[in-house]
Amino acid sequence: MMRVFRSALRALAAGALVALISTAPALAQDDTPPLPNESWSFSGLLGGLDLAAAQRGFWVYYNVCSNCHSMHQLHYRDLAGIGMTPAEIKKIAASVQVPVGLNDQGQPIEGPGTPASQFRSPFPNDTAARAALNGALPPDLSLIVNARDGGADYVYGILTGFVKPPAGFNVPAGKYYNAYFPGHLIAMPPPLQDGAVTYADGTKATVPQMAHDVVTFLYWTANPEAVQREQMGVRVVLFLLLMTGLTYGVKRKLWSHLH
Amino acid sequence: MAGLHKSEFKNPLINWIDTRLPIPSLLQKEYAAFPTPRNFNYFWNFGALAMVALVIMIATGILLAMNYQPNTALAFGSVQHIMRDVNYGWLIRYIHQNGASMFFIVTFVHILRGMYYGSYKAPRELLWMLGVVILLIMMATAFMGYVLPWGQMSYWGATVITNLFSAFPYVGHAIVTWLWGGFSVSNPTLNRFFALHYLLPFVLIAVVFMHVWALHVTGSNNPLGIDPKGPQDTVPFHPYYTMKDSVGICAFLAVWAFLVFFLPNLLGDPNNFIKANPLQTPADIVPEWYFLPFYAMLRSVPNKLGGVCIMFGSILVLFFLPWLDTCKVRSARFRPVFRKLIWVWLAATVALGMVGAHKPLGFWVPLGRICTIYYFFHFLVLLPLLGAIEKTLPLPESISQAVLGRGAGPLPNAATAAPMEKA
């Protein structure tokens, strides 16, 4: 009886396997190249952050990205996190016009920003952004590195992925071909050209260099706590592993006379 | 006059309290002297681990609630405010976010341990059923908690799952409207999910209390699945199992901390970093990993109502497990066939988890269907059948004989129950 039962089970399992294999589909062809594999200061478990690259990245964001993209979750005071001094932060904040409340007639007015101001948004709202940009809405960049599969490599890929479309690929007006964008048709024109910004530290502003710097900056805007988190994590995890070892030793000693 | 409790505590303050409200005596009896089988393996840690997880989730959850805004316009930003501006807000939030996964991991192991060693069998049926109630409340709590950050996956997950109730004939759509408090997942939905997400963990505490109470009436099962026959088969819970649980708790917290500090978003979905947008459906709507096997069963049935029934049935069938498994022997160690089949069942369930993570295309569809059928086949056919035909192995005479390899001898002094003098 048992034997019949077991062989019946085995037959069932074999049948299931055959059914699975026979229905496996041919793998779909995908024309998206593998994501670039950049070397990031923040990758790995104990990444850290290249502050100079992050500061250069802010400069790219400030001069290029922020013309279209909002950054709602950031305040100018946060820039202390990439090593900017209070004086630098004040100067940057004062260089932009942000909403500062109402005038005596109750009308909203703008004025120079302070370190407490939110990053300036290029458009008052999403509808205004779409109206100005041919119907396309530039995504908020605060969390963009965390909000995309592939993370930093994907964002770097988009910034450097404006290549010639393959023969026969029709790119309609107002769209651009990007190797890494899903479907390849992106509404953002190539944002970076060699020399688009001038770096204060003399670094040559090539497209890959600017893309690398701005992605470093965007990693920080999405994960401002990462460096502190990883440093604290080493101590916490080591402490807990030590405690595990200690309690295990005490447990062994306590139980030893029971065996 | 009602009799005062006769306290044996020597400390005058403890004695004074114990005489009037005998909580110290209760703790002494249930957590210090409580006779516990001496042969637990480390799988018996996981109940305590789940308890630790629940306490940490409630503590971090209360702190988060102090800074969270349950409003569709503010929720996403308030979570970012917690992550960026609240002192150590990122730590509290990542503990809570990863805590959901850690809570489910240890609970699943705890359940699997109960299934392997037959902990659900008489006289522990009610104890087991209370455990299934705990699982259901956990699932509801986790689902509603995932909606609160109001990201894309929060919103669309909530839309998909609440829409399941529309499968019920006639009243389905009315139920869904009632659940939403409107005609789509919207502000009233978020607000009530927040209220319920705060409430349910305290309901959970009450059910956990009953679960532990029932455990302390029946006593614990053990890897041999045989009842302790006397003091030689047990040790007092304290210090033996408090110490053994401490080892597990430290290791558990180390794993949890590793996720929190180094891979905090490993188990999350990138889409939830995008604010909820009712006008834009994500390419894939995937639930959290702990729901994937159930989600796969839902999708494996080509009929909506059927899928919903199968999904809920996959949990409900657990309520009947004590009676579906007709074998009198508890532990899988002495059930040569069951010991293999339980792994087949687990493999089918894990495979369902993988099916749930993929689009229902190609071979994932038949795999999901086969595994769904096998999941129920195990409970509804194999277990009742095995009880009738399986030849179980002979059980050892007693726990002490099995673990010490000799007859019951006198125990060393330290192992016998002694009142906790220092209290």
Side-chain angles (χ1 to χ4, degrees), chain B residues 133-144:
Chain B
V133 172
I134 290 171
L135 177 64
L136 280 172
I137 298 176
M138 273 178 69
M139 289 175 145
T141 310
F143 162 65
M144 287 190 272

Side-chain angles (χ1 to χ4, degrees), chain B residues 24-349:
Chain B
S25 281
L26 178 86
L27 291 177
Q28 166 67 32
K29 178 164 172 277
E30 301 299 342
Y31 275 103
F34 188 63
T36 313
R38 58 189 295 162
N39 60 330
F40 283 178
N41 55 34
Y42 274 99
F43 283 109
W44 261 261
N45 272 350
F46 283 81
L49 299 185
M51 191 96 88
V52 168
L54 175 61
V55 170
I56 293 178
M57 290 303 276
I58 288 177
T60 51
I62 289 171
L63 292 173
L64 290 174
M66 291 177 185
N67 293 286
Y68 171 77
Q69 308 281 348
N71 177 297
T72 52
L74 304 173
F76 188 83
S78 75
V79 171
Q80 285 305 311
H81 167 68
I82 289 169
M83 294 297 289
R84 289 159 194 271
D85 298 327
V86 174
N87 290 334
Y88 294 102
W90 58 266
L91 178 58
I92 295 162
R93 199 240 170 170
Y94 276 152
I95 291 174
H96 197 78
Q97 181 191 319
N98 286 285
S101 291
M102 297 307 293
F103 197 0
F104 272 100
I105 289 171
V106 293
T107 303
F108 286 154
V109 175
H110 185 62
I111 293 169
L112 199 64
R113 189 270 287 156
M115 289 172 74
Y116 188 85
Y117 294 109
S119 301
Y120 47 83
K121 295 186 186 185
R124 298 186 183 84
E125 305 95 321
L126 196 56
L127 172 60
W128 169 264
M129 292 163 82
L130 284 165
V132 180
V133 172
I134 290 171
L135 177 64
L136 280 172
I137 298 176
M138 273 178 69
M139 289 175 145
T141 310
F143 162 65
M144 287 190 272
Y146 193 63
V147 176
L148 301 186
W150 207 241
Q152 274 287 67
M153 214 41 91
S154 300
Y155 178 87
W156 290 99
T159 301
V160 169
I161 300 300
T162 49
N163 256 316
L164 294 181
F165 291 91
S166 71
F168 292 106
Y170 306 115
V171 291
H173 287 282
I175 292 176
V176 174
T177 306
W178 177 74
L179 286 174
W180 286 339
F183 298 99
S184 68
V185 174
S186 52
N187 200 58
T189 325
L190 177 62
N191 212 336
R192 66 184 54 184
F193 275 21
F194 177 59
L196 292 172
H197 183 70
Y198 204 113
L199 168 71
L200 286 181
F202 296 97
V203 176
L204 209 46
I205 286 190
V207 185
V208 167
F209 181 81
M210 288 192 279
H211 188 67
V212 174
W213 188 356
L215 173 74
H216 280 237
V217 172
T218 61
S220 295
N221 187 28
N222 64 78
L224 293 172
I226 57 176
D227 293 325
K229 295 202 168 59
Q232 72 280 4
D233 288 345
T234 64
V235 290
F237 190 82
H238 180 77
Y240 293 97
Y241 283 115
T242 45
M243 198 61 230
K244 193 164 182 172
D245 282 346
S246 300
V247 180
I249 288 169
C250 288
F252 172 55
L253 293 180
V255 175
W256 190 341
F258 183 80
L259 274 184
V260 166
F261 288 103
F262 297 108
L263 300 165
N265 295 310
L266 176 72
L267 302 168
D269 190 301
N271 275 299
N272 236 25
F273 286 100
I274 304 169
K275 191 179 167 184
N277 181 354
L279 299 176
Q280 190 180 44
T281 317
D284 294 297
I285 301 177
V286 191
E288 291 281 83
W289 69 267
Y290 37 81
F291 291 137
L292 287 176
F294 311 101
Y295 187 58
M297 287 193 238
L298 169 78
R299 292 196 305 190
S300 290
V301 183
N303 168 291
K304 191 172 175 187
L305 181 59
V308 172
C309 291
I310 286 292
M311 185 178 71
F312 285 115
S314 67
I315 304 284
L316 292 182
V317 73
L318 296 176
F319 278 111
F320 301 98
L321 182 56
W323 296 277
L324 289 170
D325 184 350
T326 49
C327 179
K328 293 279 173 265
V329 173
R330 292 196 189 107
S331 174
R333 282 192 192 175
F334 307 105
R335 301 185 59 187
V337 182
F338 174 79
R339 193 170 63 189
K340 288 183 186 130
L341 290 182
I342 184 80
W343 294 114
V344 180
W345 174 85
L346 181 65
T349 308

